[in-house]
Coordinates of all heavy atoms in Angstrom, one line a residue:
T137 N -1.1 -10.1 -2.5 CA -0.2 -11.2 -2.7 C -0.9 -12.4 -3.3 O -0.3 -13.1 -4.1 CB 0.6 -11.6 -1.5 OG1 -0.3 -12.2 -0.5 CG2 1.3 -10.4 -0.8
E138 N -2.1 -12.6 -2.9 CA -2.9 -13.8 -3.4 C -3.1 -13.7 -4.9 O -3.0 -14.6 -5.6 CB -4.2 -13.9 -2.7 CG -4.1 -14.5 -1.3 CD -5.4 -14.4 -0.5 OE1 -6.5 -14.4 -1.1 OE2 -5.3 -14.4 0.7
I139 N -3.4 -12.4 -5.3 CA -3.7 -12.2 -6.7 C -2.4 -12.4 -7.5 O -2.4 -13.1 -8.6 CB -4.3 -10.8 -6.9 CG1 -5.7 -10.9 -6.5 CG2 -4.0 -10.3 -8.4 CD1 -6.6 -9.7 -6.8
V140 N -1.3 -12.0 -7.0 CA 0.0 -12.2 -7.7 C 0.3 -13.7 -7.8 O 0.7 -14.2 -8.8 CB 1.2 -11.5 -6.9 CG1 2.5 -11.8 -7.5 CG2 1.0 -10.0 -6.9
Q141 N 0.0 -14.4 -6.7 CA 0.3 -15.9 -6.7 C -0.6 -16.6 -7.7 O -0.2 -17.5 -8.4 CB 0.2 -16.4 -5.3 CG 1.5 -16.1 -4.5 CD 1.4 -16.0 -3.0 OE1 0.3 -16.2 -2.5 NE2 2.5 -15.7 -2.3
Q142 N -1.9 -16.1 -7.8 CA -2.8 -16.7 -8.7 C -2.3 -16.6 -10.2 O -2.5 -17.4 -11.0 CB -4.2 -16.1 -8.6 CG -5.0 -16.5 -7.4 CD -6.3 -15.7 -7.3 OE1 -6.9 -15.3 -8.2 NE2 -6.7 -15.4 -6.0
A143 N -1.6 -15.5 -10.4 CA -1.1 -15.2 -11.7 C 0.2 -16.0 -12.0 O 0.7 -16.0 -13.1 CB -0.8 -13.7 -11.9
G144 N 0.7 -16.7 -11.0 CA 1.9 -17.4 -11.1 C 3.1 -16.5 -11.1 O 4.2 -16.9 -11.5
A145 N 2.9 -15.2 -10.7 CA 3.9 -14.2 -10.7 C 4.6 -14.2 -9.3 O 4.2 -14.9 -8.4 CB 3.4 -12.9 -11.0
V146 N 5.7 -13.4 -9.2 CA 6.5 -13.3 -8.0 C 6.2 -12.0 -7.3 O 6.1 -11.0 -8.0 CB 8.0 -13.4 -8.4 CG1 8.9 -13.1 -7.2 CG2 8.3 -14.8 -8.9
V147 N 6.1 -12.0 -6.0 CA 6.0 -10.7 -5.2 C 7.4 -10.2 -5.1 O 8.2 -10.8 -4.3 CB 5.3 -11.0 -3.9 CG1 5.3 -9.7 -3.1 CG2 3.9 -11.5 -4.0
A148 N 7.7 -9.1 -5.7 CA 9.1 -8.5 -5.7 C 9.3 -7.8 -4.4 O 10.4 -7.5 -4.0 CB 9.3 -7.6 -6.9
G149 N 8.2 -7.4 -3.7 CA 8.3 -6.7 -2.4 C 7.0 -6.0 -2.1 O 6.1 -5.9 -3.0
I150 N 6.9 -5.4 -0.9 CA 5.8 -4.7 -0.5 C 6.2 -3.3 0.1 O 7.0 -3.3 1.0 CB 4.9 -5.5 0.5 CG1 4.5 -6.8 0.0 CG2 3.7 -4.7 1.0 CD1 3.8 -7.8 1.0
G151 N 5.8 -2.3 -0.6 CA 6.2 -0.9 -0.1 C 5.0 -0.2 0.5 O 3.9 -0.2 -0.1
I152 N 5.1 0.3 1.7 CA 4.0 0.9 2.4 C 4.4 2.3 2.8 O 5.5 2.6 3.3 CB 3.8 0.1 3.7 CG1 3.4 -1.4 3.4 CG2 2.7 0.8 4.6 CD1 2.0 -1.6 2.7
V153 N 3.5 3.3 2.6 CA 3.8 4.6 3.0 C 3.8 4.7 4.5 O 4.8 5.2 5.1 CB 2.8 5.6 2.4 CG1 3.2 7.1 2.8 CG2 2.9 5.5 0.8
I154 N 2.8 4.3 5.2 CA 2.7 4.4 6.7 C 2.3 3.1 7.2 O 1.2 2.6 7.0 CB 1.6 5.5 7.1 CG1 1.9 6.8 6.4 CG2 1.5 5.6 8.6 CD1 0.8 7.9 6.6
E155 N 3.2 2.5 8.0 CA 2.9 1.3 8.7 C 2.6 1.6 10.1 O 3.2 2.4 10.8 CB 4.2 0.4 8.7 CG 4.0 -0.9 9.5 CD 5.2 -1.9 9.4 OE1 6.1 -1.7 8.5 OE2 5.2 -2.9 10.2
K156 N 1.5 0.9 10.6 CA 1.1 1.1 12.0 C 1.6 -0.2 12.7 O 1.0 -1.3 12.6 CB -0.4 1.3 12.1 CG -0.9 2.6 11.5 CD -2.3 2.9 11.8 CE -3.2 1.9 11.1 NZ -4.7 2.1 11.4
A157 N 2.7 0.0 13.4 CA 3.4 -1.2 14.0 C 2.6 -1.8 15.2 O 2.9 -2.9 15.6 CB 4.8 -0.8 14.4
F158 N 1.6 -1.1 15.7 CA 0.8 -1.6 16.8 C -0.3 -2.5 16.3 O -1.0 -3.1 17.1 CB 0.3 -0.5 17.6 CG -0.6 0.5 16.9 CD1 -2.0 0.3 16.7 CD2 -0.1 1.6 16.3 CE1 -2.8 1.2 16.0 CE2 -0.8 2.5 15.6 CZ -2.2 2.3 15.4
Q159 N -0.4 -2.7 15.0 CA -1.3 -3.7 14.4 C -0.4 -4.8 13.8 O 0.8 -4.6 13.6 CB -2.2 -3.0 13.4 CG -3.2 -2.1 14.2 CD -4.2 -1.4 13.3 OE1 -3.9 -0.3 12.8 NE2 -5.3 -2.0 13.0
D160 N -1.1 -5.9 13.4 CA -0.3 -7.1 13.1 C 0.2 -7.3 11.7 O 0.9 -8.3 11.4 CB -1.1 -8.4 13.5 CG -1.0 -8.6 15.0 OD1 0.0 -8.2 15.6 OD2 -1.9 -9.2 15.6
G161 N -0.2 -6.4 10.8 CA 0.0 -6.6 9.4 C 1.5 -6.8 9.1 O 1.9 -7.8 8.3
G162 N 2.4 -6.0 9.6 CA 3.8 -6.1 9.3 C 4.4 -7.4 9.7 O 5.1 -8.1 9.0
R163 N 4.0 -7.9 10.9 CA 4.5 -9.2 11.4 C 4.0 -10.3 10.5 O 4.8 -11.2 10.1 CB 4.0 -9.4 12.9 CG 5.0 -8.9 13.9 CD 4.5 -9.2 15.3 NE 3.2 -8.5 15.6 CZ 3.2 -7.2 16.0 NH1 4.3 -6.5 16.1 NH2 2.0 -6.6 16.3
L164 N 2.7 -10.2 10.2 CA 2.1 -11.3 9.4 C 2.8 -11.4 8.0 O 3.2 -12.5 7.6 CB 0.6 -10.9 9.2 CG -0.3 -11.8 8.3 CD1 -0.9 -12.9 9.3 CD2 -1.4 -11.0 7.6
L165 N 3.0 -10.3 7.4 CA 3.6 -10.3 6.0 C 5.1 -10.7 6.1 O 5.5 -11.5 5.2 CB 3.5 -9.0 5.3 CG 2.0 -8.5 5.0 CD1 2.0 -7.1 4.6 CD2 1.4 -9.4 4.0

Side-chain angles (χ1 to χ4, degrees):
T137 68
E138 282 171 28
I139 283 188
V140 173
Q141 282 156 359
Q142 285 171 35
V146 169
V147 176
I150 301 175
I152 299 292
V153 180
I154 304 174
E155 174 173 351
K156 295 189 295 180
F158 57 90
Q159 291 177 270
D160 278 336
R163 272 181 293 280
L164 180 90
L165 295 169

